[in-house]
């Protein structure tokens, strides 16, 4: 886990630390970017990037509010939450004459953020559009990525269905702002039917909170990110060049399920794994964060990282991975379907 000296580059920031948390607004060659930092700067770095119209508070809060997942991640990492341009809390509208960033420019922006904080090789965690940006970053800066944890990732150009939905949302955002139809399209993108509810089933608390959160977004800033991600290029050939381990989660009902399966098939099977989460949409980090815990524990073991021993154990999250009962890894007990995971340790009772 190398650390580089902070360069004298084109970046500036303003930080307001509070109990291990700080906000940084960094000027890069491709425009400003907001980074929320949680944890001890001396620990290994975990970079996160959310999906369209989300930021770390709406995309990763569920995972970090899961006590066992929080203990695993915060014990081992300092977390750097990168927001897409204009997606941070309290964001102001991006000036209309500012150019819309390309996916390559957003990936380069991630590299500049690492330079600003003096970070060398990092772990990455991204969701859908954010997973695409971090995967692109990993293909362009292979020596700077130790591992990828991707949730319902994108890796090809948009399908006709996704392209059409994005065009509809773009037009609505441009002319009407964050209207109910845009929110419905986004919520369908994020969550499975069980969470979204229906005519006979009321909306879940997660849905209501997300609707409220979307009301606070700057509609034209979201329009910009949709424009960017709708013009993405295919990463399939570049995936073969990845030199890091990759753990992929995808919801059984995710709109991007086929993307995740395609991506897994193109990665080196010795260093990649796919976890399908049953009865779940795309944003597994919010809808079923507990389903991510055991696969993440085994994945991070490959890097010599463990949860602290003082945390109380539970059947869903064993502290001693070599004393786990094999039946605990069944889909019925975990709520997931596990594809072959080559990074998992052999279990011996």
């Amino acid at each position: 886990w190398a650390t580089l000296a902070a360069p004298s580059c084109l970046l500036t920031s303003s930080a307001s630390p509070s109990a291990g948390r700080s906000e940084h607004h960094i000027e890069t060659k491709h425009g400003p970017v907001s980074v929320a930092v949680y944890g001890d700067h001396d620990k290994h770095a975990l970079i996160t990037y959310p999906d369209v119209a989300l930021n770390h508070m709406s995309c990763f809060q569920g995972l970090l509010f899961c006590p066992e997942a929080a203990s695993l991640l915060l014990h081992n990492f300092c977390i750097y939450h990168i927001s897409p341009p204009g997606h941070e809390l309290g964001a102001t509208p991006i000036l209309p004459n500012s150019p819309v960033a390309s996916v390559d420019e957003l990936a380069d922006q991630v590299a500049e953020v690492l330079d600003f904080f003096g970070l060398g090789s990092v772990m990455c965690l991204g969701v859908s559009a954010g997973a695409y940006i971090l995967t692109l970053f990993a293909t362009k800066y292979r020596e700077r990525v130790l591992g990828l944890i991707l949730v319902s990732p994108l890796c090809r150009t948009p399908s006709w269905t996704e392209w059409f939905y994005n065009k509809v949302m773009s037009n609505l955002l441009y002319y009407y702002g964050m209207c109910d139809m845009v929110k419905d399209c986004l919520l369908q993108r994020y969550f499975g039917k069980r969470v979204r509810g229906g005519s006979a089933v009321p909306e879940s608390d997660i849905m209501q909170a997300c609707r409220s959160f979307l009301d606070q977004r700057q509609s034209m800033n979201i329009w910009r990110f949709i424009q960017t991600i709708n013009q993405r290029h295919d990463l399939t050939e570049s995936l073969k060049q990845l030199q890091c381990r990759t753990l992929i989660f995808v919801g059984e009902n995710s709109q991007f399920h086929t993307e995740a399966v395609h991506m897994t098939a193109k990665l080196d099977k010795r260093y990649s794994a796919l976890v399908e989460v049953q009865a779940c949409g795309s944003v597994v980090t919010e809808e079923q964060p507990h389903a991510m815990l055991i696969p993440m524990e085994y994945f991070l073991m490959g890097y010599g990282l463990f949860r602290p021993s003082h945390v109380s154990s539970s059947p869903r999250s064993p502290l001693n991975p070599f004393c786990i009962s094999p039946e605990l890894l069944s889909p019925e007990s975990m709520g997931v379907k596990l594809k072959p995971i080559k990074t998992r340790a052999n279990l011996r009772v």
Side-chain angles (χ1 to χ4, degrees):
W1 300 81
T3 301
L4 301 178
S8 54
C9 55
L10 302 174
L11 303 170
T12 60
S13 77
S14 59
S16 51
S18 172
R21 177 181 181 274
S22 58
E23 294 276 352
H24 299 257
H25 302 284
I26 303 170
E27 289 292 337
T28 76
K29 289 183 289 186
H30 304 296
V33 63
S34 179
V35 184
V37 183
Y38 290 79
D40 183 349
H41 290 247
D42 292 331
K43 292 184 177 180
H44 313 314
L46 173 66
I47 305 296
T48 76
Y49 212 107
D51 193 20
V52 169
L54 302 178
N55 59 33
H56 70 280
M57 293 298 293
S58 52
C59 195
F60 301 105
Q61 185 170 254
L63 179 64
L64 293 174
F65 273 22
C66 180
E68 292 149 325
S71 69
L72 173 67
L73 296 177
L74 292 173
H75 176 69
N76 291 294
F77 297 103
C78 180
I79 304 177
Y80 298 80
H81 295 294
I82 300 178
S83 292
H87 281 51
E88 68 274 11
L89 294 173
T92 56
I94 298 173
L95 295 175
N97 59 351
S98 300
V100 175
S102 68
V103 288
D104 284 283
E105 288 171 340
L106 293 185
D108 293 340
Q109 201 174 56
V110 173
E112 291 190 66
V113 168
L114 267 58
D115 291 340
F116 176 78
F117 289 106
L119 303 174
S121 300
V122 300
M123 187 71 68
C124 295
L125 168 61
V127 176
S128 296
Y132 177 92
I133 298 299
L134 292 180
T135 303
L136 176 58
F137 168 71
T139 63
K140 297 182 71 172
Y141 301 90
R142 295 194 296 272
E143 73 286 353
R144 305 200 72 171
V145 178
L146 286 168
L148 289 169
I149 302 174
L150 307 175
V151 181
S152 305
L154 312 175
C155 73
R156 292 180 288 187
T157 55
S159 65
W160 282 110
T161 302
E162 185 197 350
W163 182 89
F164 176 76
Y165 265 89
N166 287 345
K167 278 296 183 183
V168 169
M169 285 195 292
S170 293
N171 289 335
L172 289 170
L173 284 165
Y174 191 87
Y175 291 106
Y176 302 104
M178 184 54 74
C179 59
D180 286 341
M181 187 174 291
V182 173
K183 284 186 278 189
D184 287 340
C185 287
L186 288 170
L187 292 169
Q188 188 174 7
R189 174 189 177 101
Y190 302 152
F191 302 117
K193 293 180 181 178
R194 185 174 59 87
V195 170
R196 294 203 310 272
S199 56
V201 181
E203 282 189 347
S204 65
D205 292 341
I206 296 177
M207 285 282 288
Q208 293 176 20
C210 196
R211 279 189 186 276
S212 176
F213 173 85
L214 291 173
D215 281 331
Q216 303 168 32
R217 301 300 89 210
Q218 294 289 347
S219 56
M220 288 309 295
N221 295 355
I222 296 170
W223 176 86
R224 285 171 166 270
F225 194 28
I226 291 176
Q227 294 292 106
T228 298
I229 211 66
N230 218 27
Q231 298 173 24
R232 67 184 186 266
H233 49 85
D234 194 332
L235 299 181
T236 299
E237 291 303 313
S238 301
L239 295 177
K240 300 172 184 177
Q241 303 170 13
L242 284 180
Q243 299 174 348
C244 61
R245 297 182 183 184
T246 305
L247 176 61
I248 297 176
F249 294 91
V250 65
E252 180 183 34
N253 306 127
S254 170
Q255 294 180 357
F256 309 120
H257 186 279
T258 56
E259 283 286 299
V261 173
H262 169 81
M263 185 174 186
T264 305
K266 299 302 178 181
L267 290 167
D268 189 329
K269 292 179 173 56
R270 296 172 298 170
Y271 307 114
S272 61
L274 173 65
V275 180
E276 183 183 80
V277 183
Q278 294 177 330
C280 189
S282 295
V283 187
V284 183
T285 50
E286 291 294 320
E287 191 170 345
Q288 291 199 43
H290 60 273
M292 299 178 63
L293 181 59
I294 292 177
M296 280 200 309
E297 280 194 296
Y298 281 114
F299 181 73
L300 294 177
M301 271 185 225
Y303 299 90
L305 302 175
F306 300 87
R307 287 200 299 118
S309 58
H310 65 269
V311 178
S312 60
S313 62
S314 77
R316 299 190 68 88
S317 178
L319 286 174
N320 184 350
F322 300 103
C323 296
I324 180 173
S325 177
E327 58 266 20
L328 291 179
L329 295 178
S330 67
E332 292 76 13
S333 63
M334 292 177 60
V336 300
K337 295 177 183 176
L338 286 180
K339 309 301 182 184
I341 299 180
K342 299 300 183 182
T343 57
R344 189 169 67 191
N346 290 327
L347 304 180
R348 299 182 185 279
V349 180

